[in-house]
């Protein structure tokens, strides 16, 4: 009773207060709140006919006009979607009486707004008239980030002049050089003046004489330099604190965004305290630079702690690629990232999209790579088990219940879900890359269909699907149109397939702007059932080369190598083998050994080209104790055509055959076919697709099935071909191909320094 009367009194007091405020306001005209949500981002525009990257607000430059009346409060919620650039907006002519902190001048009144963050400006427009807003961070205004503010008199009051209509005209001059180039010139020695603008714009329209243009600067291949420091870092990617390996502090590492033909130069500084490192550029063929492939033991001596090594290579084909550690099981610690290569400006694309976004899929173990590798190489064998979490762009969500917050803290922002903000109606090219240690995945976006258009840097004959199966080491581009009800958000989900899942699905948010961070109101899609192998084979068979982009394979191979995939026991240790040979690495990298004619560092006999297919039952647990380890390699005649038949079998547990994604370094192969059961050379070659096979660098071998590949050994060097499951590679599931060594130019001396290559430095 007492409580009730108290709350009634409070309400009455509040109403009185509001009444008094209204009276004090006097005029009886309400000041309103004008609320804007702005997304600032890069877009290509041609305001004077010359294409240039500009900065837009909600897709416009000039940005939207703010229209308000005297004494209104303007609220602008600004999301900075610039990829690598801060922003601040100044409200030019607005006096900011009482709100000096909203004047929008970086370094004077505020920290700049960082990429990916949202900042709210709020101020009163206390005088009628014509004003402006524009960027006040660096020289950013020059990129088109500006607009008008019109403040009218309140309803019922009139200006001291009359007019029928009210129109805005923004006047500007326009440079073709970016603000970065201009700012760099101005702060260089010798000083480089920005020169006169190329055009004058009236409301963002001008006319430049295009005939005076030769090739625009954007089209020319350039060198892109990166300096990466590799360090140990504690990370809580799925809320659980774990020792990870980061590049410049982050995992996934920075994305390399380049244009076809660019040269990439990466200085890798190994600041790991106790561990070597090597980085492989997965999908980049390294034509002419086999020493930059980054495979420890094959192409280089690993980079030792405290050392810096420079990788230099050309990205010679547009597409989606990745990079990752190729040293021990180090990839598993988070040392990976994406490489996006675009077509040169003006080159026609075979598909259209508005925006391009990268999504890295991975799985995550709480035990370190060191503990895992120790378990795998122990007697008795201790399998690493299923991962604890699935990550989408480095974010997952492990249930912390029962764990101390210092170990697992579900409120840690590092493990908030990845949010892909989309604008309704726009089509997104999502570049997916799977860097899982173990898991094969299905990727889906609730209520949205995907059109698959690219795989491993090759155009795919488009097909529409609700879920995409993606195996470790594969990349895909899918087109997704944000065409669903934009008043809510949707789940992005990944789930494990091919192995009985013990890992919860990975989740992210497909976020319709501007409903930031709202959890979708539905249950996430659970994805297809894990053990429907047919579904996965069907999708593998659907992936064909796009019409108009088919590269015809040679009609016949010069050599056929059949590789039986088995789990074996060798001297009591569990290993994985091909034709009963489990690979072991010599301490001297093959590329250097062969270049320097060191003939004694590996077993010179050729590994077996086949297995006893007639007498081998792929469905039963074989007596796999007859395997051995070897350093031997396949030497392929330069330019010859090689067929590889991957044959799956039962593991050492009854009724289990696993999926193995196989990855080839230095080449793409044609995917000629997939089949179930044992491959039969006389019968199954007739089923090969020689009409429109896709070329890829990574391909699944399905349980109890076979996969047939063809490639041309036309890239001089030494190249790994291996199962992309980190533990299986560690356990010897790889072969090594050499071809055209006589054509390999001088290997940089920085690749030397281990094994017998040390001898070469002796006086
Ligand atoms: O190498 C492996 O070992 C286990 C299992 O076969 C034995 O526990 C597994 O699933 C692997 O892929």
């Amino acid at each position: 009773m007492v409580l009730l009367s108290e709350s009634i009194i409070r309400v009455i007091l509040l109403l009185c207060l509001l009444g008094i405020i209204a009276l004090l306001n006097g005029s009886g005209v309400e000041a309103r709140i004008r609320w804007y949500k702005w997304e600032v981002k890069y877009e290509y525009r041609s305001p004077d006919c010359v294409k240039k990257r500009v900065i837009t607000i909600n897709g416009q430059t000039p940005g939207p006009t703010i229209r308000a009346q005297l004494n209104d409060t303007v609220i602008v919620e600004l999301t900075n979607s610039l990829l690598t650039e801060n922003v601040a907006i100044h409200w030019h002519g607005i006096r900011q009486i009482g709100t000096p902190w909203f004047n929008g001048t970086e370094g004077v009144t505020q920290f700049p707004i960082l990429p990916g963050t949202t900042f709210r400006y709020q101020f009163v427009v206390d005088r009628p008239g014509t004003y402006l807003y524009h960027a006040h961070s660096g020289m950013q205004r020059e990129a088109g980030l500006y607009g008008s503010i019109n403040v009218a008199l309140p309803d019922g009051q009139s200006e001291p002049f009359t007019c029928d209509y009210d129109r805005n005209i923004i006047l500007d001059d326009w440079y073709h050089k970016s603000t970065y180039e201009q700012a760099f010139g101005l702060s260089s020695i010798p000083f480089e003046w920005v020169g006169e603008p190329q055009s004058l714009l009236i409301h963002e329209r001008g006319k430049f004489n295009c005939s005076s243009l030769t090739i625009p600067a954007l089209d020319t291949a350039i060198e892109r330099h990166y300096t990466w420091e590799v360090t140990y870092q504690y990370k809580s990617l799925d809320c659980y604190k774990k020792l990870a390996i980061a590049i410049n502090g982050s995992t996934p590492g920075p994305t390399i965004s380049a244009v076809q033909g660019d040269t990439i130069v990466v200085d890798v500084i190994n600041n790991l305290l106790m561990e070597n490192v090597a980085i492989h550029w997965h999908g980049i063929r390294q034509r002419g630079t086999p020493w930059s492939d980054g495979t420890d033991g094959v192409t280089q001596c690993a980079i030792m702690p405290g050392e810096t090594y420079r990788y230099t290579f050309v990205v010679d084909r547009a597409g989606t690629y990745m990079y990752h550690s190729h040293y021990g099981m180090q990839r598993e610690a988070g040392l990976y990232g994406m490489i996006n290569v675009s077509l040169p400006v003006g080159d026609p694309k075979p598909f259209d999209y508005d925006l391009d976004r990268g999504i890295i899929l991975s799985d995550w173990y709480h035990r370190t790579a060191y503990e895992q590798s120790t378990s795998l190489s122990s007697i008795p064998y201790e399998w690493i088990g299923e991962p604890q979490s699935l990550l989408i762009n480095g974010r997952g969500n492990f249930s912390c219940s029962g764990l101390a917050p210092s170990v697992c803290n579900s409120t840690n922002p590092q493990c908030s879900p990845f949010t892909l903000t989309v604008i309704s109606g726009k089509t997104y090219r999502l570049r997916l890359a799977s860097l899982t240690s173990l898991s094969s995945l299905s990727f889906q976006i609730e209520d949205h269909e995907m059109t698959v258009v690219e795989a491993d840097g090759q155009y795919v004959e488009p097909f529409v699907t609700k879920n995409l199966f993606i195996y470790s080491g594969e990349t895909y581009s899918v087109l997704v149109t944000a065409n669903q009800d934009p008043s809510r958000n949707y789940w992005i989900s990944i789930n494990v397939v091919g192995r009985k899942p013990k890992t919860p699905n990975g989740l992210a948010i497909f976020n319709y702007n501007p409903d930031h961070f709202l959890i979708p109101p539905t249950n996430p899609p659970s994805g297809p059932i894990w053990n429907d192998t047919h579904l996965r084979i069907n999708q593998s068979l659907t992936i064909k080369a796009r019409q108009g982009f088919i590269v015809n394979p040679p009609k016949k191979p010069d050599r056929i190598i059949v590789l039986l995939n088995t789990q074996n026991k060798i001297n009591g240790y569990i290993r994985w083998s091909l034709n009963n040979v489990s690979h072991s690495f010599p301490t001297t990298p093959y590329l250097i050994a062969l270049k320097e004619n060191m003939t004694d560092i590996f077993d010179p006999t050729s590994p077996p080209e086949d297995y006893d297919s007639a007498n081998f039952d792929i469905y039963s647990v074989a007596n796999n104790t007859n395997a051995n380890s070897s350093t031997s390699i396949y030497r392929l005649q330069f330019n010859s055509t090689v067929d590889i038949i991957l044959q799956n079998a039962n593991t050492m547990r009854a009724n289990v055959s696993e999926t193995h994604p196989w990855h080839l370094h230095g080449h793409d192969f044609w995917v000629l076919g997939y089949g179930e059961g044992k491959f039969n050379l006389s019968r199954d070659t007739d089923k090969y697709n020689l009409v429109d096979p896709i070329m890829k660098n990574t391909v699944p071998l399905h349980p109890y099935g076979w996969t047939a590949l063809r490639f041309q050994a036309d890239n001089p060097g030494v190249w790994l071909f291996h199962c992309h499951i980190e533990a299986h590679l560690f356990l010897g599931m790889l072969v090594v191909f050499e071809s055209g060594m006589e054509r390999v130019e001088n290997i940089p001396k920085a690749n030397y320094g281990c094994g017998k290559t040390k001898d070469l430095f002796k006086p």
Side-chain angles (χ1 to χ4, degrees):
M1 194 61 188
V2 175
L3 279 178
L4 186 68
S5 55
E6 260 184 20
S7 56
I8 291 172
I9 291 167
R10 261 195 227 125
V11 172
I12 294 169
L13 280 176
L14 190 67
L15 288 174
C16 292
L17 194 66
L18 289 174
I20 292 166
I21 292 170
L23 278 176
L24 286 177
N25 250 352
S27 67
V29 178
E30 278 174 41
R32 276 173 284 200
I33 291 179
R34 311 272 171 178
W35 201 308
Y36 297 87
K37 290 193 179 206
W38 286 358
E39 189 191 13
V40 174
K41 65 174 196 296
Y42 295 125
E43 283 184 81
Y44 279 111
R45 290 291 151 84
S46 307
D48 66 345
C49 306
V50 176
K51 184 167 175 177
K52 183 185 164 177
R53 189 174 66 155
V54 304
I55 300 182
T56 60
I57 298 174
N58 296 349
Q60 304 169 30
T61 167
T65 300
I66 292 183
R67 295 175 204 279
Q69 285 181 324
L70 183 64
N71 289 333
D72 284 354
T73 296
V74 174
I75 297 178
V76 179
E77 248 178 49
L78 189 149
T79 300
N80 179 1
S81 293
L82 299 176
L83 306 171
T84 52
E85 200 176 341
N86 305 330
V87 70
I89 294 197
H90 169 55
W91 315 95
H92 185 116
I94 308 298
R95 289 174 297 182
Q96 302 287 0
I97 294 169
T99 51
W101 46 81
F102 284 135
N103 192 39
T105 37
E106 182 208 345
V108 179
T109 61
Q110 72 171 105
F111 281 124
I113 308 165
L114 303 182
T117 63
T118 299
F119 181 86
R120 178 190 284 200
Y121 288 100
Q122 179 167 344
F123 51 86
V124 173
V125 286
D126 63 349
R127 199 174 44 177
T130 306
Y131 308 100
L132 302 168
Y133 64 83
H134 58 78
H136 220 301
S137 174
M139 289 178 67
Q140 210 170 46
R141 186 181 88 212
E142 192 274 343
L145 184 43
Y146 42 69
S148 296
I149 306 176
N150 297 350
V151 185
L153 284 169
D155 293 342
Q157 293 186 31
S158 46
E159 306 274 4
F161 49 83
T162 55
C163 60
D164 296 318
Y165 299 104
D166 190 331
R167 295 283 182 270
N168 287 82
I169 301 180
I170 292 183
L171 308 176
D172 188 20
D173 51 15
W174 195 245
Y175 285 91
H176 293 163
K177 267 198 192 179
S178 69
T179 50
Y180 302 105
E181 290 166 298
Q182 292 185 41
F184 179 65
L186 294 176
S187 42
S188 293
I189 297 178
F191 177 73
E192 201 181 295
W193 174 235
V194 293
E196 299 305 308
Q198 279 65 58
S199 296
L200 297 180
L201 306 184
I202 300 182
H203 221 79
E204 217 57 14
R205 276 156 198 269
K207 194 142 179 62
F208 186 77
N209 178 3
C210 294
S211 66
S212 65
L213 277 186
T214 47
I215 305 164
L218 273 170
D219 276 0
T220 52
I222 58 166
E223 258 188 30
R224 295 176 191 266
H225 283 253
Y226 298 85
T227 303
W228 286 359
E229 190 194 6
V230 179
T231 56
Y232 295 123
Q233 303 264 325
Y234 277 113
K235 293 281 177 192
S236 302
L237 302 188
D238 65 347
C239 306
Y240 184 96
K241 185 172 165 187
K242 182 194 163 175
L243 186 68
I245 299 184
I247 297 175
N248 296 346
S250 66
T251 165
T255 297
I256 293 183
S257 294
V259 178
Q260 181 173 291
D262 286 352
T263 299
I264 308 295
V265 180
V266 186
D267 286 322
V268 176
I269 307 166
N270 179 1
N271 272 344
L272 297 175
L273 306 170
M274 319 192 293
E275 199 175 350
N276 301 336
V277 72
I279 298 186
H280 168 55
W281 316 93
H282 181 118
I284 308 299
R285 289 167 297 177
Q286 303 289 357
R287 288 178 170 276
T289 52
W291 46 80
S292 289
D293 193 43
T295 36
D296 168 51
V298 179
T299 60
Q300 72 170 100
C301 296
I303 313 164
M304 294 204 287
E307 284 188 346
T308 299
Y309 176 89
R310 172 170 285 192
Y311 288 99
T312 304
F313 54 91
V314 174
V315 286
D316 60 356
R317 193 185 47 201
T320 307
Y321 309 99
M322 47 206 183
Y323 63 83
H324 58 77
S325 166
H326 222 300
Y327 181 79
M329 288 181 65
Q330 211 170 48
R331 186 181 92 214
E332 189 276 339
L335 184 43
Y336 46 67
M338 216 172 199
I339 306 175
N340 292 343
V341 184
S342 345
L343 283 170
V345 172
D347 274 23
K349 287 191 204 83
F351 45 82
D352 266 344
Y353 54 90
D354 300 306
L355 295 146
D356 193 327
R357 298 281 183 268
I359 300 186
I360 294 178
L361 309 176
S362 51
D363 50 14
W364 198 240
Y365 284 91
H366 291 169
R367 288 213 301 166
T368 60
Y370 319 104
E371 291 167 295
Q372 290 188 34
S373 44
T374 307
S375 300
L376 293 172
S377 39
S378 296
I379 297 180
Y381 176 72
E382 198 184 300
W383 173 239
I384 54 170
E386 302 301 309
Q388 279 64 60
S389 298
L390 298 180
L391 308 183
I392 301 182
N393 269 351
R395 282 152 187 273
N397 202 316
F398 184 73
S399 162
C400 291
S401 69
L403 291 169
S406 56
V407 177
C408 192
N409 180 354
S410 54
T411 61
N412 189 326
Q414 275 184 34
C415 59
S416 61
F418 167 68
T419 300
L420 179 76
T421 300
V422 297
I423 295 168
S424 181
K426 299 277 183 201
T427 296
Y428 289 79
R429 173 184 189 167
L430 303 184
R431 294 175 183 256
L432 307 175
S434 174
L435 278 150
T436 54
S437 307
L438 175 71
S439 313
S440 304
L441 299 174
S442 170
F443 173 91
Q444 46 268 322
I445 306 173
E446 183 187 7
D447 290 351
H448 290 75
E449 287 188 329
M450 305 182 271
T451 306
V452 181
V453 290
E454 183 220 333
D456 296 1
Q458 302 278 353
Y459 296 127
V460 170
E461 181 62 16
F463 69 95
V464 176
T465 186
K466 287 213 151 109
N467 78 289
L468 180 76
F469 296 112
I470 177 165
Y471 304 90
S472 180
E474 285 190 318
T475 65
Y476 286 97
S477 284
V478 295
L479 302 183
V480 180
T481 301
N483 56 7
Q484 296 300 306
D485 174 5
S487 68
R488 54 158 286 196
N489 292 334
Y490 299 81
W491 290 110
I492 298 174
S493 88
I494 47 175
N495 62 288
V496 172
V497 292
R499 302 179 65 95
K500 190 163 188 193
K502 293 194 182 133
T503 315
N505 291 4
L507 297 174
I509 299 175
F510 196 74
N511 166 230
Y512 275 80
N513 187 51
D515 273 335
H516 292 290
F517 316 123
L518 280 188
I519 297 293
T522 42
N523 287 330
S526 49
I529 180 113
W530 69 274
N531 55 359
D532 189 342
T533 309
H534 284 114
L535 265 185
R536 300 203 299 282
I537 295 180
N538 280 345
Q539 195 168 88
S540 295
L541 289 167
T542 307
I543 298 167
K544 307 229 172 75
R546 190 177 179 121
Q547 294 300 314
F549 296 88
I550 297 169
V551 184
N552 291 314
K555 288 276 165 284
K556 291 255 176 283
D558 299 309
R559 186 168 171 183
I560 301 172
I561 300 175
V562 182
L563 296 174
L564 174 71
N565 290 227
T566 52
Q567 194 182 32
N568 302 67
K569 215 172 213 182
I570 304 180
N571 301 330
Y573 293 96
I574 298 282
R575 303 277 300 177
W576 282 87
S577 303
L578 288 316
N579 300 340
N580 280 333
V581 178
S582 183
H583 193 88
S584 59
F585 283 108
T587 49
T588 307
Y590 290 104
L591 185 73
I592 305 175
L594 288 165
K595 181 75 188 167
E596 301 289 348
N597 289 322
M598 298 173 166
T599 46
D600 56 342
I601 69 119
F602 61 91
D603 176 354
T605 56
S606 189
E609 313 259 314
D610 209 340
Y611 68 106
D612 183 8
S613 143
N615 296 309
F616 192 91
D617 179 5
I618 62 163
Y619 294 102
S620 66
V621 176
N623 174 19
N624 283 347
T625 47
N626 56 342
N628 61 356
S629 285
S630 172
T631 53
S632 60
I633 66 174
Y634 293 93
R635 311 208 48 177
L636 309 175
Q637 197 181 342
F638 183 65
N639 246 337
S640 62
T641 302
V642 181
D643 276 9
I644 304 287
I645 317 296
L646 293 163
Q647 175 65 60
N648 214 337
N650 206 98
T651 63
M652 293 180 73
R653 279 189 297 150
N655 302 319
V656 179
S657 179
E658 301 183 349
T659 305
H660 301 284
W662 276 85
H663 171 59
L664 177 59
H665 291 220
H667 311 74
D668 297 323
F669 43 69
W670 288 274
V671 184
L672 300 185
Y674 298 88
E676 292 180 68
K678 202 190 285 180
F679 178 80
N680 179 318
L681 195 58
S682 53
R683 192 188 60 214
D684 290 327
T685 45
D686 295 347
K687 298 183 204 147
Y688 282 174
N689 174 10
L690 298 174
V691 178
D692 55 2
I694 186 80
M695 294 189 84
K696 290 186 100 254
N697 61 58
T698 306
V699 77
L701 172 61
H702 294 292
Y704 297 115
W706 55 264
T707 300
L709 315 173
R710 181 166 291 176
F711 76 99
Q712 201 138 22
D714 58 358
N715 192 5
V718 187
W719 308 103
L720 261 190
F721 181 49
H722 64 95
C723 174
H724 212 260
I725 291 175
E726 193 75 326
H728 291 180
L729 171 64
F730 181 76
L731 294 170
M733 200 170 191
L734 65 118
V735 298
V736 178
F737 295 126
E738 173 280 328
S739 80
M741 256 328 282
E742 63 289 352
R743 291 163 198 260
V744 171
E745 308 254 317
N746 288 338
I747 300 170
K749 286 288 172 276
N751 286 42
Y752 290 53
C754 57
K756 291 216 167 170
T757 71
K758 277 193 279 194
D759 301 350
L760 299 168
F761 290 109
K762 285 196 180 145

